[in-house]
């Protein structure tokens, strides 16, 4: 993926992971031992969870915008 400098890539949280997080369920890959074969999926799931909760917090916290 090519991204212009200074711009963040736009991506969506996979629906299956989002549904698990909404129901307070842990994605299965996070229950597996961290290894070379699970590394990518493991950290992707952590980042998706973090992004989901950031989106929730942004919706809940009122910002004073002028």
């Amino acid at each position: 993926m090519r991204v212009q400098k200074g711009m963040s890539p736009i991506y969506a949280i996979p629906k299956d992971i989002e549904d698990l997080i909404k129901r307070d369920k842990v994605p299965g890959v996070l229950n597996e031992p961290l290894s070379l074969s699970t590394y990518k999926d493991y950290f992707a799931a952590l980042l998706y969870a973090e992004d989901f909760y950031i989106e929730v917090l942004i919706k809940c916290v009122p910002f004073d915008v002028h």
Side-chain angles (χ1 to χ4, degrees):
M1 172 193 323
R2 298 196 115 214
V3 179
Q4 292 179 352
K5 276 191 170 182
M7 296 188 69
S8 297
I10 297 173
Y11 61 93
I13 299 170
K15 189 71 173 140
D16 58 333
I17 292 181
E18 184 177 357
D19 290 342
L20 288 171
I21 294 168
K22 283 181 179 178
R23 295 180 298 163
D24 287 329
K25 303 286 182 187
V26 176
V29 71
L30 298 180
N31 289 323
E32 298 175 20
L34 187 59
S35 68
L36 290 176
S37 63
T38 61
Y39 185 87
K40 178 182 167 190
D41 293 335
Y42 188 94
F43 283 100
L46 288 176
L47 291 172
Y48 289 137
E50 180 181 36
D51 285 351
F52 175 80
Y53 285 112
I54 287 171
E55 289 177 15
V56 169
L57 286 173
I58 287 173
K59 290 176 185 174
C60 293
V61 177
F63 289 96
D64 188 14
V65 180
H66 296 280

